[in-house]
Each structure stands twice: as structure tokens, then as C-alpha cells.
Amino acid sequence: MTAPAIIALGVTALFPLLWTISLSVQDFRVGAGGDSLFVGAENYVGVLTSPEFVQALMQTLGYVATTLLLELIVGLPIALALHRATTGRRILRVIVALPLMVAPVVAALAFKFLFSSDYGLINRGLEILGLPEPTWFADVWLARTTILVSNLWLALPFVVLVLLAGLANIPDELVEAARTDGASRWRTFVHIILPLLRPAILIILVIRLADAFRVFDAVYVLTGGGPANSTEVMSSYLYRLMFTRADFPGAAAATILFVVVIAVCAGSIFFLLRDREDRR
């Protein structure tokens, strides 16, 4: 009964993975002619010793850590406020969920118009207030900020909705009992609400971890990896390596290494956030 599902999984997931691994240990160039040669780990060594790969990987890890932290810091207060809201709760939830309906490329283009130095609304507002008008895409940290803001706007609805589902599953009796015993709102949040939100936070971190590692649209549209490759991430690096340089074996090796990094990060999150009983 499970054979069709296993076959479909093998065709759509296992075969491309095995083909990529096979490609990563060969040496050939598209259009150069000749047979491919087995080179073993030569492509992996070349990728690992490449300054561009190391820079893209480090910037990707920094981006992932920063965006996940920001999403939780911003999303949790919003979820708590919506959970406690007594009037207009449904309308507020619909408004929060609106970015989910926008394609990432469209959102990136909208933020590019907002942050534009020539006609952007943000610089126009700063000009009216008499404040300095920064060149958002020419400065390293400002360019990174534009990517983070664009991603935060797109990711917040998912984070808030999952946290709202987690808050809805917390029994009101526990919170009321804590308040009856004299616990402050902060102690109630830290010792009751936050531990019970651990499954929801785990779901957010694992799903958003994969999405953050695969970020491409915002980088490609907003900065193109610049200035001076300061916003280059692994997805844009792989795109450039494969379709600009036509280095398919090197791109395959970099992809396998990237998948290993994602697996290690996801496994670490599972280990750190799972219950103590599950660790035994």
C-alpha cells in the first residue's frame, strides 16, 4: 500500500539527491565536450577553500540567526496582544495574515521602491522631516537591513498565527491559578506560558529555518548580493556559480555541503528544544 508513495518520494527527492552527489564528484564543463572524469573530493576541497563560499555561508548563518531572533521577538508580543484582544480580534488576525498572500518577489519589489534613494517613500519622508537620506543599497549594513525588513514583513504572519494556535491550547485554569497565587504577569509568562509554547516555537524555528536558509528573492531583487558581495547568501552564490560560471560540479558540491549545514542546524534545534523525557 505504501509502494506508490515510496516510488513518488524516490523519484522526486531521492533521485535528484543521488544525482547531485554523483555530479559533485565529477569534473566536466558544459559545452566543452569530452567525457566526465571522476575526481573524488576535489570539488569539495575547491569549494571549502573558496573565500566566496566561506563568505556566503557565514553571511547566510548570520542572516538566519538574526531573522529567526527578530521574528520571535516581534511576533510573540503581537500574538499575545491578539490573544488578549476582546474586540476586533478576527479583523486584526486577517490584517496580520495579509502578507501571506503576497509573492516574495512582489514584496521584494515593493520594498525596493520604498527604500529607493531616488523615489523611495522612506527617503521622501526623511527629506520632509529634514533628516539625512541614506543610500540604503550602497551601504553594507543598510543593505542587510532592507533584506531583514522585507523578510520580517513576509514571515511575521506565519509566526504570529502559529503562536496564536499555541496560546489557544494553554488552559486558562493554569494562568488563573498562577495569578491567584500572587504570580506577576512576567512570572506567569516565563514559568507557564513560555514553556507551554515550546512545541509552537519548535515548529516555527524548524520551518522558518528552512525558509531562511533558502532566501533568494529578496537578495536578488533588492541588492543582487551587493555591495561587494556583502549580502551574498548561499542561494544567490549557488545561482551565480551554476548559471553564471556554468560550474555544475562545483555548485553540486556546494549544494551538498549546504544541505549538511541545514541538517546540522535543524537537528541542533530539535535536540535543544525537545522535552527532557524525549532526550532519555
Side-chain angles (χ1 to χ4, degrees), residues 141-250:
W141 290 103
L142 290 180
R144 292 171 177 172
T145 300
T146 60
I147 296 173
L148 286 172
V149 171
S150 174
N151 175 80
L152 183 64
W153 185 79
L154 281 172
L156 265 183
F158 172 78
V159 175
V160 172
L161 292 177
V162 174
L163 289 174
L164 279 174
L167 290 170
N169 289 327
I170 298 178
D172 294 334
E173 293 78 8
L174 293 178
V175 178
E176 294 175 358
R179 293 179 180 176
T180 302
D181 292 339
S184 62
R185 287 189 175 183
W186 174 251
R187 292 179 64 88
T188 302
F189 171 76
V190 172
H191 297 288
I192 295 179
I193 296 178
L194 199 57
L196 292 176
L197 280 178
R198 182 181 296 176
I201 294 176
L202 178 60
I203 292 173
I204 291 172
L205 288 179
V206 172
I207 295 179
R208 286 297 307 140
L209 179 78
D211 286 339
F213 268 117
R214 292 186 293 105
V215 62
F216 176 79
D217 309 78
V219 175
Y220 185 79
V221 173
L222 290 174
T223 66
N229 293 336
S230 60
T231 58
E232 185 92 287
V233 292
M234 283 301 301
S235 296
S236 59
Y237 167 75
L238 292 172
Y239 173 84
R240 186 159 51 86
L241 192 64
M242 181 173 293
F243 296 106
T244 302
R245 301 180 183 177
D247 185 6
F248 288 89

Side-chain angles (χ1 to χ4, degrees), residues 9-273:
L9 182 63
V11 172
T12 58
L14 186 59
F15 173 75
L17 177 62
L18 294 177
W19 185 81
T20 304
I21 295 175
S22 173
L23 186 63
S24 68
V25 295
Q26 300 179 38
D27 182 24
F28 73 93
R29 292 294 181 270
V30 177
D35 297 330
S36 60
L37 301 175
F38 178 80
V39 295
E42 182 178 326
N43 292 322
Y44 291 92
V45 174
V47 168
L48 289 173
T49 56
S50 170
E52 294 181 349
F53 172 81
V54 176
Q55 180 185 14
L57 180 59
M58 292 298 102
Q59 290 176 170
T60 303
L61 292 174
Y63 166 80
V64 170
T66 304
T67 190
L68 290 180
L69 184 62
L70 284 176
E71 289 169 12
L72 288 176
I73 291 177
V74 178
L76 187 54
I78 295 176
L80 290 171
L82 290 178
H83 181 68
R84 295 171 182 171
T86 55
T87 57
R89 179 183 298 182
R90 294 182 178 179
I91 297 178
L92 291 174
R93 290 184 178 181
V94 171
I95 294 175
V96 169
L98 285 178
L100 289 175
M101 307 174 189
V102 180
V105 174
V106 176
L109 286 171
F111 277 95
K112 188 171 185 177
F113 284 120
L114 287 174
F115 286 106
S116 173
S117 302
D118 300 325
Y119 45 80
L121 292 179
I122 294 178
N123 277 10
R124 178 58 177 167
L126 294 175
E127 180 184 359
I128 294 174
L129 296 175
L131 298 176
E133 304 172 40
T135 52
W136 294 96
F137 304 119
D139 181 82
V140 172
W141 290 103
L142 290 180
R144 292 171 177 172
T145 300
T146 60
I147 296 173
L148 286 172
V149 171
S150 174
N151 175 80
L152 183 64
W153 185 79
L154 281 172
L156 265 183
F158 172 78
V159 175
V160 172
L161 292 177
V162 174
L163 289 174
L164 279 174
L167 290 170
N169 289 327
I170 298 178
D172 294 334
E173 293 78 8
L174 293 178
V175 178
E176 294 175 358
R179 293 179 180 176
T180 302
D181 292 339
S184 62
R185 287 189 175 183
W186 174 251
R187 292 179 64 88
T188 302
F189 171 76
V190 172
H191 297 288
I192 295 179
I193 296 178
L194 199 57
L196 292 176
L197 280 178
R198 182 181 296 176
I201 294 176
L202 178 60
I203 292 173
I204 291 172
L205 288 179
V206 172
I207 295 179
R208 286 297 307 140
L209 179 78
D211 286 339
F213 268 117
R214 292 186 293 105
V215 62
F216 176 79
D217 309 78
V219 175
Y220 185 79
V221 173
L222 290 174
T223 66
N229 293 336
S230 60
T231 58
E232 185 92 287
V233 292
M234 283 301 301
S235 296
S236 59
Y237 167 75
L238 292 172
Y239 173 84
R240 186 159 51 86
L241 192 64
M242 181 173 293
F243 296 106
T244 302
R245 301 180 183 177
D247 185 6
F248 288 89
T255 301
I256 297 301
L257 293 173
F258 188 36
V259 170
V260 172
V261 171
I262 296 175
V264 171
C265 292
S268 300
I269 290 177
F270 267 113
F271 179 78
L272 292 175
L273 291 183

